[in-house]
Every structure is written in structure tokens, then in C-alpha cells.
């Protein structure tokens, strides 16, 4: 137990360190410029609008000097629980957004409460989420999260995370088997309204292509570096836009598949100038 606690403390300390302290990109100006260009090209991705609106509400509550907004404009219904958000993120691993949402809806319709999920046979959970892929692995992960929560907190609830610091949240979530840095970062950004920058495949490949990290960087070091370099106020919008652009632009992510893609006028990607800049350095 003592060794486990020390390891977690070491992981938390590591999150504050930049693995590439002499790599001066991205600059704040680059981040803002790319955010603006991608926003002009794609608009804000509709699947992330409700999370953006929740952040606006959260920031208004936190910042008493913020300009008042018409709250009806930002009403997106009841906010998801943190536990719902974590399970949703687990189900999104290695599958499409459509399939993961179907799996979550199936899980919630099959089991009225998380207590019912915990009490169920793992095979029953697998059957409920099979449309999302990797059902045995994801069912075991969900079951373990619920079991650990009940043992440590006495109830199936993660709302206590809202009162913790980012480092404390990372340490809490990382103790669950099968929950890695990307899942933790997604929960932080989407479900806890924290300023974090998850690195999925799209963000990772684009970051390397435009020289935001060294070519030899792995995904974890890319996450650590970008979270140090990208201004907090730009992280959410920039992350959502890079993810969307990576899915849609064949110039940025040159991979096969049947997914429909779109390109900007003249087959030109607004990030090509940044790629050229990277190649010259």
C-alpha cells in the first residue's frame, strides 16, 4: 500500500514537468491562430457544444466579474454526473462516437442504477455494451471502478472530485485499473470543467506534423508538453477543434477507412503553413 501511494505521488509530480523544456512551441500566438482558423473552417463541433456551455456556466459562477449572459441560451439540460462521464469515456475507447453512445444508452436502459450494474454478472454487462466493442475489457473496467468506489467511499458517486485539485483528481482516477492518462484528461476537461488537454490519436499526429513536439515524442510526453505550453483559456476549444479537424482532413491524418472526410477549398488545409514551418526548423 505504501509503495502504491509513493508511485501515485511520483506520477502526480511528473504531470507538472515538461519533458521538452527547450522546445519553444507551441506559442500562445500559434495556439490562438490555429484555434481561430479551425473555428472559421469547421465551426464549433456540435457534439461538444453542451460541454462548452457547461464550462461557460461554471466559469461565470467562479468569476463574479464575468459579463452576464442569457442563461437560457446556455441551457443544455441536467449536467451529467462525474461517474456517468467516466463510464462514457471508458466506452469511447477504441471505437466510434456513435457506437460508444449506443453502448452507454444500452447500459443505462438495461440497468436502472449503478448499484444494479455492480450487482450484475459481468457477462450481462458485456451484453449490454457489446455494440461499443471490447466488451469484456470495458465491462471488467466498469465493474472494477464501481467495486473500488463502494469499498473506498461507501457509495457509487464521484462528485467529491469536484472539490479536489487537478493533481488530486488525477491521483484518484488513476488508481482505477484500466484508467489511463487520456481517460483522466477527458474526464477533467469534459466532466469537471478543468483546464486540461487530452491527447488522442488525432491531436497527437497533428501536433507532431506541425512541430509542436519533437518527432520522437510519444503520446504521454506530448500530453505533458502541450499542457505546459497551451494557454489555459484556449485548451478546451483548441482540443475539440484539433480532434474534429483530424477526423475530417485527409492532409493531416493520412489513414484509410470508410469514414467520410471533407477538405477545405482547393484541397488546402489551414495547418499546412504550420507543417511547412515545422519542416524548416
Amino acid at each position: 500500500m505504501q509503495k502504491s501511494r509513493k508511485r501515485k505521488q511520483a506520477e502526480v509530480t511528473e504531470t507538472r514537468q515538461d519533458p521538452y523544456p527547450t522546445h519553444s512551441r507551441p506559442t500562445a500566438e500559434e495556439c490562438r491562430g490555429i484555434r481561430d482558423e479551425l473555428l472559421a473552417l469547421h465551426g464549433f463541433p456540435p457534439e461538444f457544444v453542451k460541454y462548452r456551455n457547461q464550462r461557460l456556466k461554471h466559469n461565470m459562477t467562479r468569476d463574479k466579474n464575468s459579463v452576464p449572459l442569457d442563461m437560457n441560451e446556455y441551457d443544455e439540460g441536467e449536467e451529467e454526473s462525474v461517474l456517468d462521464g467516466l463510464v462514457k469515456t471508458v466506452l469511447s475507447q477504441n471505437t466510434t462516437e456513435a457506437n460508444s453512445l449506443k453502448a452507454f444508452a444500452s447500459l443505462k436502459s438495461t440497468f436502472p442504477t449503478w448499484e444494479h450494474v455492480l450487482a450484475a454478472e459481468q457477462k450481462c454487462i458485456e451484453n449490454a455494451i457489446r455494440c461499443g466493442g471490447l466488451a469484456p475489457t470495458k465491462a471488467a473496467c466498469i465493474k472494477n471502478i464501481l467495486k473500488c468506489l463502494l469499498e473506498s467511499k461507501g457509495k457509487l458517486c464521484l462528485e467529491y472530485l469536484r472539490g479536489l485539485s487537478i493533481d488530486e483528481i488525477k491521483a484518484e482516477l488513476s488508481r482505477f485499473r484500466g484508467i489511463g492518462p487520456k481517460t483522466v484528461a477527458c474526464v477533467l476537461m469534459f466532466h469537471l470543467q478543468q483546464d486540461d488537454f487530452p491527447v488522442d490519436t488525432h491531436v497527437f499526429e497533428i501536433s507532431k506534423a506541425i512541430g509542436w513536439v519533437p518527432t520522437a515524442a510519444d503520446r504521454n510526453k506530448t500530453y505533458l508538453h502541450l499542457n505546459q505550453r497551451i494557454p489555459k483559456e484556449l485548451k478546451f476549444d483548441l482540443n475539440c477543434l484539433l480532434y474534429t479537424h483530424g477526423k475530417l482532413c485527409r492532409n493531416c491524418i493520412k489513414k484509410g477507412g470508410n469514414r467520410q472526410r471533407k477538405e477545405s477549398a482547393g484541397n488546402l488545409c489551414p495547418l499546412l503553413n504550420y507543417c511547412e514551418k515545422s519542416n524548416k526548423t
Side-chain angles (χ1 to χ4, degrees):
M1 185 69 179
Q2 188 65 26
K3 288 183 178 180
S4 176
R5 185 178 294 111
K6 287 181 178 178
R7 185 167 60 250
K8 293 301 181 184
Q9 288 172 345
E11 290 172 357
V12 168
T13 301
E14 184 185 11
T15 65
R16 301 193 191 101
Q17 298 173 349
D18 187 344
Y20 308 115
T22 61
H23 193 84
S24 60
R25 298 182 66 203
T27 65
E29 291 72 24
E30 278 183 312
C31 295
R32 191 168 287 105
I34 287 179
R35 188 274 311 268
D36 292 345
E37 291 191 65
L38 293 182
L39 190 58
L41 177 65
H42 299 297
F44 193 80
E47 65 267 33
F48 299 127
V49 167
K50 73 173 183 178
Y51 299 110
R52 190 175 193 273
N53 292 343
Q54 287 168 6
R55 292 178 69 85
L56 288 172
K57 288 182 178 180
H58 177 77
N59 290 338
M60 285 177 59
T61 302
R62 185 172 54 185
D63 183 5
K64 302 302 183 182
N65 297 318
S66 61
V67 178
L69 298 172
D70 180 3
M71 292 308 295
N72 292 326
E73 180 182 352
Y74 300 96
D75 185 13
E76 293 291 331
E78 187 177 351
E79 190 171 333
E80 292 173 336
S81 72
V82 181
L83 182 54
D84 278 21
L86 176 59
V87 173
K88 257 190 176 181
T89 307
V90 169
L91 292 174
S92 73
Q93 295 169 0
N94 300 107
T95 191
T96 64
E97 181 184 5
N99 285 343
S100 70
L101 291 177
K102 286 179 184 176
F104 184 75
S106 175
L107 182 68
K108 295 288 277 188
S109 63
T110 303
F111 303 103
T113 68
W114 290 119
E115 285 77 11
H116 285 87
V117 177
L118 179 59
E121 294 291 332
Q122 183 170 314
K123 200 68 178 178
C124 296
I125 302 173
E126 291 176 21
N127 291 336
I129 64 174
R130 197 167 302 283
C131 59
L134 299 176
T137 301
K138 293 176 181 179
C141 181
I142 293 168
K143 187 95 168 173
N144 178 66
I145 289 169
L146 298 177
K147 179 174 178 290
C148 291
L149 259 182
L150 189 63
E151 289 175 353
S152 63
K153 301 296 179 182
K155 59 181 179 178
L156 303 181
C157 180
L158 284 171
E159 296 306 303
Y160 72 93
L161 295 179
R162 296 186 187 277
L164 303 184
S165 69
I166 288 181
D167 284 344
E168 290 170 335
I169 293 168
K170 287 181 178 180
E172 285 287 301
L173 292 178
S174 296
R175 67 191 175 91
F176 297 127
R177 188 171 63 249
I179 302 301
K182 182 190 139 188
T183 298
V184 172
C186 286
V187 172
L188 279 165
M189 187 175 79
F190 289 115
H191 303 287
L192 289 168
Q193 294 80 47
Q194 296 286 350
D195 298 314
D196 212 67
F197 197 83
V199 175
D200 78 317
T201 299
H202 303 298
V203 173
F204 179 50
E205 295 295 340
I206 291 175
S207 297
K208 288 199 297 183
I210 62 180
W212 279 9
V213 290
T215 55
D218 60 23
R219 191 180 297 187
N220 187 52
K221 289 182 178 178
T222 298
Y223 166 76
L224 295 173
H225 178 70
L226 294 183
N227 269 284
Q228 291 289 330
R229 299 289 307 179
I230 297 173
K232 289 182 177 181
E233 68 275 11
L234 298 178
K235 284 182 176 180
F236 184 84
D237 285 6
L238 183 58
N239 193 278
C240 294
L241 287 162
L242 285 174
Y243 168 80
T244 298
H245 188 70
K247 289 197 302 179
L248 300 176
C249 179
R250 72 173 72 250
N251 292 309
C252 287
I253 306 293
K254 297 182 179 178
K255 293 184 179 179
N258 298 320
R259 181 172 52 212
Q260 182 179 3
R261 298 171 182 267
K262 72 177 183 180
E263 299 178 62
S264 54
N267 294 329
L268 292 178
C269 165
L271 301 187
L272 287 181
N273 289 334
Y274 296 91
C275 293
E276 292 170 3
K277 177 180 177 181
S278 172
N279 291 333
K280 291 178 183 177
T281 56

